[in-house]
Amino acid sequence: MRITLGVTDHAWADFLRARLDLDEVNFWVPSGRNFMGRAALDEPFLFKTKSPRNTLVGGGFYAGFYERRVSEAWTVFGEANGVSEEADLQAAIQVYRARNQAPFSPDPTIGCLILRNVFFVEPLDELPQPLHWGRSIVQGKTYDSADPDWDYVQHAFESLAATPRIDISWEPKVAVEIATERYGPAALTRHRLGQGSFRLRVEDAYQSRCAISGSKVRPALQAAHIRPYAQGGEHVVSNGLLLRSDMHTLFDKGYLGVTPDYTLRVSPRLRDEFGNGVELYAKQDRGEVIHLPVQRDSLPAREHLEWHMDEVFKSA
């Protein structure tokens, strides 16, 4: 097991600490380059503030790294970026880019390092940075059992995560095992994507291409749940389709469906009620298979497609 410490501005942590409704945040990287610590999926992650504070203020679990424009990061995560307005996010990014003499861009690409199940402690409960923390560390560091600060970092995570924001409907699983109860109970977690990371993973799985229309205009694309979250569906890629906004609406309302063998179905009611859908009916008549992810574990689950065809699709 490893634990990564990421360096952040104290204002970012203070802003998010006050928003108890957020359990997923964007720990953004201004340059758009991958985080040097290279945390692995579901590994523990701690937030360390910059000098002069130099304290551990909270953490979460690593849920993936994505490169997106600032405007896209704001659309997906909003205040979970650590600011109240998109203009504030743009301004913060431009400060870092100017400092590093990066060429100006009105909407630059940044790295979106996503953390789920996040937690923050009150200022008086913050902990000092590890004893051997080097001044040359800019972005962060990943620790394992070979590091002299490992015991401290491990216990710090346990201490800070004693009261994380946990969805009580999740099945408990001890995420970090330690030999002592000195720092309180272990954090409970079950791997599940948040809404933001669900969207980004679906976009990547479908290579930013609508599964039905083939459109690659990313601002118009949306991550659709096959089985809605409110009806037992999960934020997992196998329960998602990347759809253009109009296709998404038609799918959710049952005018479009996808069979378990991934062929498009168009409800006859689309034509009967609206006199529309010629292009879609042509796709159906040709028996077209929708655009699918390359990775098998990202393919739409057949049981979810069957549920949608049985429960949502307007067959007549």
Side-chain angles (χ1 to χ4, degrees):
M1 187 191 73
R2 306 183 308 169
I3 298 176
T4 296
L5 268 65
V7 180
T8 187
D9 188 271
H10 67 83
W12 181 89
D14 291 344
F15 180 90
L16 293 171
R17 190 201 324 260
R19 284 153 178 80
L20 299 178
D21 58 318
L22 299 177
D23 64 356
E24 179 184 51
V25 301
N26 180 16
F27 187 90
W28 45 266
V29 182
S31 67
R33 294 175 298 182
N34 206 338
F35 181 72
M36 66 171 56
R38 298 188 181 277
L41 191 64
D42 289 338
E43 282 186 342
F45 195 102
L46 285 171
F47 308 130
K48 191 201 87 69
T49 57
K50 297 176 182 178
S51 179
R53 250 161 90 167
N54 293 321
T55 56
L56 306 181
V57 298
F61 294 87
Y62 179 74
F65 181 90
Y66 307 86
E67 291 190 347
R68 292 294 187 272
R69 295 184 181 277
V70 174
S71 59
E72 294 172 326
W74 181 260
T75 298
V76 175
F77 293 103
E79 289 191 343
N81 287 290
V83 291
S84 58
E85 302 287 344
E86 180 180 351
D88 296 334
L89 180 60
Q90 288 279 8
I93 298 297
Q94 297 298 352
V95 168
Y96 281 102
R97 288 177 63 85
R99 187 179 301 163
N100 292 305
Q101 298 182 325
F104 176 78
S105 170
D107 192 14
T109 296
I110 61 173
C112 298
L113 196 155
I114 311 307
L115 283 304
R116 63 176 180 83
N117 234 44
V118 295
F119 50 87
F120 292 92
V121 295
E122 294 303 315
L124 291 178
D125 294 323
E126 294 175 8
L127 298 175
Q129 67 185 20
L131 179 63
H132 299 95
W133 183 268
R135 292 185 178 181
S136 62
I137 301 174
V138 177
Q139 289 186 326
K141 178 180 177 180
T142 297
Y143 292 83
D144 59 25
S145 59
D147 194 283
D149 286 327
W150 171 246
D151 287 343
Y152 176 74
V153 171
Q154 189 180 30
H155 290 162
F157 185 89
E158 285 297 308
S159 177
L160 297 176
T163 55
R165 305 170 189 180
I166 291 178
D167 183 336
I168 59 173
S169 69
W170 294 5
E171 297 173 4
K173 174 184 175 183
V174 176
V176 180
E177 297 178 0
I178 60 174
T180 175
E181 295 299 321
R182 176 182 175 188
Y183 290 92
L188 302 180
T189 180
R190 178 178 177 228
H191 174 59
R192 188 196 69 179
L193 300 180
Q195 178 66 35
S197 47
F198 167 74
R199 171 173 173 167
L200 295 181
R201 284 204 195 172
V202 170
E203 285 181 357
D204 281 5
Y206 285 83
Q207 299 179 309
S208 297
R209 184 182 189 187
C210 173
I212 292 176
S213 71
S215 172
K216 293 185 177 181
V217 182
R218 196 154 65 191
L221 300 179
Q222 299 173 351
H225 289 84
I226 301 171
R227 182 168 187 159
Y229 183 74
Q231 298 186 50
E234 294 185 291
H235 295 321
V236 293
V237 177
S238 60
N239 186 40
L241 292 170
L242 189 65
L243 300 175
R244 198 173 66 197
S245 58
D246 56 339
M247 300 293 113
H248 188 179
T249 299
L250 292 173
F251 183 81
D252 283 353
K253 292 184 177 297
Y255 293 104
L256 295 179
V258 177
T259 68
D261 61 358
Y262 306 129
T263 57
L264 178 66
R265 289 287 305 278
V266 186
S267 170
R269 291 175 58 174
L270 181 62
R271 178 169 45 212
D272 296 344
E273 296 177 12
F274 303 104
N276 207 337
V278 173
E279 179 182 353
L280 294 170
Y281 286 112
K283 287 179 177 288
Q284 174 182 257
D285 293 343
R286 291 193 297 268
E288 286 192 9
V289 173
I290 65 169
H291 303 290
L292 292 168
V294 174
Q295 301 296 326
R296 290 186 60 83
D297 59 359
S298 296
L299 292 172
R302 286 178 166 81
E303 61 267 26
H304 298 322
L305 296 173
E306 289 175 351
W307 181 90
H308 184 272
M309 291 297 300
D310 291 341
E311 302 294 331
V312 181
F313 184 71
K314 302 177 185 292
S315 57

